[in-house]
Amino acid sequence: MDERIDPTKIKRIAINTGGGDAPGLNAVIRAATLAALERGWEVYGIRHGYRGLIDAQEFVSLTADSVHGITHLGGTILGTANKGNPFEFPTKRADGEVEVTDISDTVVRTFHEKKLDALVCIGGDGSLRIAQKFINKGMPIIGVPKTIDNDLSGTVITFGFDTAVTTATEAIDKLHSTAEAHERVMVVEVMGRYAGWIALESGISGTADVILIPEIPFDMEKVAEKIKRREASGRHFSIVVVAEGAKPIGGHLMTRGPKEAGREVLLGGAGQYVAGEIARLTGKETRSLVLGHLQRGGGPTTFDRLLGLRFGTAAIRALADGQINVMVALDPPRVKTIPLTKAIETMKAVPLDSDVVLTARSLDICLGD
Ligand code: F6P
């Protein structure tokens, strides 16, 4: 597989956004488009993941005008999809049954028919894994790491994460007053899939009393002890942050229904489970809420805007330098490129000896162990 492209031959590139949206996507689209136009390249947007390479209506031209005034906007002007993986494409048969087929060859054929020289693929681990499969079929790709979960290896941070943590922290701040007024335990479930970054960083910043993350299977007795200790010291309320992927020791991931074809299983229920157990073990009045997609919504923080703009221009600089099949990554103070294979090799879980975990422990935050 060729890992370089002759940059003097680049005339047309395309951009797509895949997987769950993350604040900062539009900043990347704008930056990549303007940086490519500046080099005299034509730029196209492939709407809804790869749908733009299956359905002509979803293939759009990107100009300076079409990316005007979008840096601060949440969502993505290209739309996204977290089902519709072309390698496992769900199609409804005449009898109503869903059949999974591999339509990746159609995508590759259309990519070449449209005379595209490279694709800037903005995605998280799922979308970048799909991108790698297209690389294996000869499509030149530059990856841009996006996900609120911050679970991609090779980059210190993904854009979208800072906004999600900010939203979660603000929510935890607000829960304090109502928890204290009613002398209740408030349990808040946050996103993050199999990584505890959002829970840990928002929980520490929002001064939670208990934070449960997937990397540390929890013991409900330990959680109850912490709440009882607070009670005994005159603190009659507690805030508990639970990552959606957290599970009890010896227990299993909590999911919402069976896995659908061509998409990740949906997680959910951990917060409600923990709230029920706290009520049973402590006798305290307990409420739970799920922050859910609020964490993905709204405009990006300054950090995510800037990171998105830096990633977008870096992707085009990498292409102009002849690089393909790499992902741009933050390695402060630089944005560098790494082979895409490295980014998807392993999930970036919270290291148990990291300073954030040590900080939580020093602040007497119970991590459930
Ligand atoms: O990966 C981003 C994410 O928001 C996860 O944190 C969450 O588990 C999942 O996507 C939710 O997916 P959906 O948008 O399909 O509900």
Side-chain angles (χ1 to χ4, degrees):
M1 189 191 330
D2 217 346
E3 299 297 345
R4 290 202 62 86
I5 191 170
D6 177 355
T8 61
K9 300 224 165 93
I10 301 177
K11 289 197 174 67
R12 303 177 123 196
I13 65 155
I15 303 175
N16 77 343
T17 56
D21 66 330
L25 278 169
N26 285 324
V28 182
I29 295 168
R30 175 165 175 270
T33 301
L34 294 183
L37 292 174
E38 192 198 9
R39 285 170 169 82
W41 303 347
E42 279 176 65
V43 187
Y44 291 86
I46 298 170
R47 290 181 46 77
H48 295 114
Y50 288 92
R51 216 186 296 162
L53 290 178
I54 301 162
D55 174 351
Q57 308 257 330
E58 305 267 16
F59 188 76
V60 295
S61 165
L62 290 178
T63 62
D65 269 353
S66 54
V67 298
H68 172 76
I70 62 169
T71 304
H72 63 294
L73 301 179
T76 156
I77 60 162
L78 292 177
T80 188
N82 50 10
K83 47 184 174 183
N85 170 359
F87 291 87
E88 290 174 44
F89 199 73
T91 13
K92 237 191 190 142
R93 288 195 320 226
D95 61 4
E97 285 293 303
V98 176
E99 193 177 50
V100 172
T101 43
D102 180 350
I103 58 159
S104 59
D105 285 340
T106 309
V107 169
V108 177
R109 200 172 45 247
T110 316
F111 180 85
H112 293 305
E113 277 168 10
K114 301 232 176 252
K115 298 199 172 2
L116 292 168
D117 298 305
L119 173 66
V120 175
C121 181
I122 315 170
D125 66 333
S127 314
L128 294 182
R129 261 174 230 287
I130 297 172
Q132 183 58 47
K133 287 185 163 184
F134 279 119
I135 289 174
N136 298 344
K137 283 179 168 260
M139 251 164 79
I141 289 181
I142 299 275
V144 177
K146 161 242 65 163
T147 167
I148 65 161
D149 303 338
N150 195 33
D151 58 354
L152 264 172
S153 292
T155 183
V156 164
I157 201 163
T158 51
F159 73 85
F161 173 67
D162 185 65
T163 309
V165 170
T166 302
T167 300
T169 306
E170 282 168 11
I172 296 165
D173 284 349
K174 288 186 176 171
L175 288 175
H176 269 86
S177 52
T178 174
E180 188 160 17
H182 286 267
E183 301 192 339
R184 281 174 175 158
V185 179
M186 297 296 302
V187 179
V188 52
E189 180 184 300
V190 298
M191 282 184 168
R193 295 206 73 79
Y194 312 115
W197 295 104
I198 299 178
L200 197 57
E201 297 207 3
S202 65
I204 294 174
S205 310
T207 66
D209 305 294
V210 178
I211 304 172
L212 304 177
I213 61 174
E215 292 83 349
I216 307 178
F218 59 84
D219 176 349
M220 274 316 304
E221 293 292 343
K222 294 277 164 55
V223 174
E225 258 169 44
K226 166 76 186 182
I227 290 164
K228 286 184 195 158
R229 253 191 293 129
R230 278 178 59 79
E231 197 68 23
S233 69
R235 312 288 283 160
H236 299 296
F237 72 97
S238 291
I239 303 287
V240 178
V241 177
V242 182
E244 61 182 355
K247 49 182 184 294
I249 295 170
H252 51 79
L253 269 180
M254 291 170 220
T255 57
R256 278 184 280 145
K259 183 185 172 325
E260 276 178 45
R263 67 172 303 160
E264 294 272 349
V265 67
L266 290 179
L267 303 181
Q272 206 180 351
Y273 167 82
V274 168
E277 286 298 282
I278 290 174
R280 183 176 70 79
L281 294 168
T282 66
K284 288 282 302 170
E285 193 173 35
T286 305
R287 296 284 188 271
S288 73
L289 77 154
V290 179
L291 274 195
H293 295 82
L294 262 184
Q295 294 158 99
R296 295 222 306 251
T301 56
T302 306
F303 181 90
D304 281 338
R305 283 180 207 192
L306 184 58
L307 188 59
L309 296 169
R310 290 175 73 194
F311 277 169
T313 56
I316 300 305
R317 278 199 302 280
L319 263 179
D321 179 42
Q323 296 183 52
I324 49 170
N325 310 340
V326 293
M327 182 186 87
V328 296
L330 183 68
D331 180 12
R334 313 182 295 141
V335 171
K336 61 177 187 181
T337 54
I338 58 166
L340 188 62
T341 45
K342 280 262 163 274
I344 56 175
E345 210 168 55
T346 48
M347 187 197 84
K348 186 177 72 189
V350 175
L352 297 187
D353 59 354
S354 61
D355 85 280
V356 261
V357 170
L358 301 179
T359 301
R361 295 201 189 281
S362 297
L363 294 174
D364 194 27
I365 295 172
C366 168
L367 298 179
D369 58 347

